[in-house]
Amino acid sequence: MTQLDRRFDTRIPFETYLTAYVNDRPTRGFTVNISETGLYLNTLPKLTAANPGIVGIELELPGVKETIWAAGQLCYGTEDDYFQGRGVKFTAMADRHARLVRQFCYRVRMQSLRSRRSLAAA
């Protein structure tokens, strides 16, 4: 495994708004991908400049009736004039919510695999 590829799972393209709690203050964010172990969080620049290390995540997944709550470690980041992007590694989550995230990721991967197989067969 290379330094650039430290994940044990692959990220799924997934775009949705979420709420990140930085220093106990809610911050609106946007994710562009997710996996069983983390997600990529975009927020407005400077909102997480203090780099708290741990953030709270409140997230809704399509087809899942419960709101997912998790704590995450900020792992790396990039910033430009419009967004501050951060990789977030999940560090704490209720077992039920972890199972819902795993099931969501599995379902999306299986749908992607089926569509690739049908395109290859055509």
Side-chain angles (χ1 to χ4, degrees):
M1 188 177 318
T2 68
Q3 181 67 13
L4 295 174
D5 184 17
R6 296 181 301 240
R7 291 186 201 103
F8 292 104
D9 53 359
T10 57
R11 294 281 172 101
I12 298 165
F14 174 65
E15 297 180 352
T16 192
Y17 290 100
L18 56 83
T19 302
Y21 292 87
V22 180
N23 297 322
D24 294 328
R25 298 183 75 185
T27 301
R28 198 69 169 145
F30 187 79
T31 184
V32 293
N33 63 43
I34 191 170
S35 72
E36 292 86 343
T37 59
L39 55 79
Y40 193 79
L41 171 66
N42 285 306
T43 60
L44 294 175
K46 312 286 189 251
L47 288 179
T48 57
N51 194 5
I54 301 291
V55 296
I57 300 290
E58 179 183 4
L59 171 70
E60 293 184 16
L61 300 172
V64 176
K65 294 180 182 180
E66 289 186 48
T67 299
I68 305 298
W69 289 86
Q73 174 73 42
L74 296 175
C75 298
Y76 61 90
T78 60
E79 187 172 342
D80 61 25
D81 292 337
Y82 304 103
F83 290 108
Q84 181 176 30
R86 298 286 180 136
V88 178
K89 179 181 179 182
F90 296 139
T91 56
M93 186 183 315
D95 289 341
R96 177 171 174 72
H97 290 177
R99 185 174 64 252
L100 291 170
V101 171
R102 277 193 311 273
Q103 290 171 345
F104 172 77
C105 291
Y106 177 80
R107 187 173 68 243
V108 171
R109 286 186 182 114
M110 291 306 293
Q111 289 170 347
S112 175
L113 183 60
R114 282 187 207 111
S115 67
R116 280 189 259 152
R117 284 183 179 167
S118 66
L119 286 176

